[in-house]
Amino acid sequence: VANLASDEQVTTQVAPAGDTTQRNADGSVKIGRQVTSQTDQRLTVSQLKPPRMCNRPADVGDLLEVSYLGTVLDTGDVFDGSTIKVDGQGVPGRGGDITLFFVLGKQPFGQFPPGWDVGLQGICVGERRRLIIPPALAYGKQGAPKRGIPPDATLQYDITLVSVNGQQLLSNS
């Protein structure tokens, strides 16, 4: 997804539609399991705002500072964001911050959807991207009900990169 052009959209199939049932070698369904299937799982990345300049795109291992908004694609319901308030109060544990940090490609499981690691490769400071993340790269069949994410939900994130490894875009304004 590196070097995404303005208004360009890139879609990658990450898992095909079909049977996802856990089976024995003979093809029978494993004990305690049910027959399951999934629709095509596609990750879509589009650029909402290009960077003014890009000297160094983000890569695996970089510390990214981002602001973001997360919604459930089917309903438009907001479930998370770097500036979200609950009952007028900031989200516990964020200390009132309006951005947050994570290491690209090295985040702990469940901190953010794995789709972030794919969709933010090559992003530049000041760039804003929209990620449409399928359930397979989000919260899967279980969802995250406490966060308002239903099972098998496709998620949309609008993410702006604020800094890479502490380096912000220097502005002349």
Side-chain angles (χ1 to χ4, degrees):
V1 182
N3 302 323
L4 192 64
S6 183
D7 297 325
E8 182 180 7
Q9 179 174 301
V10 176
T11 300
T12 302
Q13 182 167 321
V14 294
D19 186 3
T20 59
T21 307
Q22 292 187 11
R23 298 182 181 273
N24 297 310
D26 66 1
S28 63
V29 176
K30 287 190 174 185
I31 294 175
R33 300 294 180 173
Q34 297 179 356
V35 174
T36 57
S37 64
Q38 69 182 15
T39 58
D40 274 346
Q41 302 287 298
R42 297 177 185 272
L43 172 72
T44 301
V45 180
S46 54
Q47 186 182 67
L48 300 177
K49 178 184 173 206
R52 288 195 347 206
M53 58 189 250
C54 186
N55 294 328
R56 187 185 177 290
D59 200 2
V60 171
D62 285 338
L63 178 65
L64 305 187
E65 179 183 7
V66 299
S67 64
Y68 72 97
L69 180 68
T71 58
V72 176
L73 187 65
D74 289 343
T75 64
D77 292 342
V78 174
F79 63 83
D80 196 12
S82 53
T83 59
I84 296 297
K85 294 188 181 283
V86 177
D87 297 326
Q89 302 296 315
V91 174
R94 291 205 183 145
D97 290 344
I98 60 169
T99 60
L100 53 86
F101 293 85
F102 79 101
V103 178
L104 187 63
K106 308 279 184 180
Q107 59 187 319
F109 181 76
Q111 182 180 11
F112 298 102
W116 278 34
D117 291 329
V118 177
L120 296 179
Q121 282 276 339
I123 192 171
C124 295
V125 173
E127 183 177 350
R128 185 168 183 81
R129 288 187 179 179
R130 174 167 289 157
L131 309 182
I132 306 295
I133 303 178
L137 290 180
Y139 295 95
K141 292 196 178 303
Q142 72 279 1
K146 290 182 180 178
R147 296 180 64 194
I149 302 171
D152 290 316
T154 296
L155 306 179
Q156 174 178 298
Y157 284 95
D158 290 350
I159 303 172
T160 301
L161 183 60
V162 176
S163 71
V164 175
N165 299 323
Q167 300 295 309
Q168 295 181 336
L169 180 65
L170 298 175
S171 165
N172 292 332
S173 53

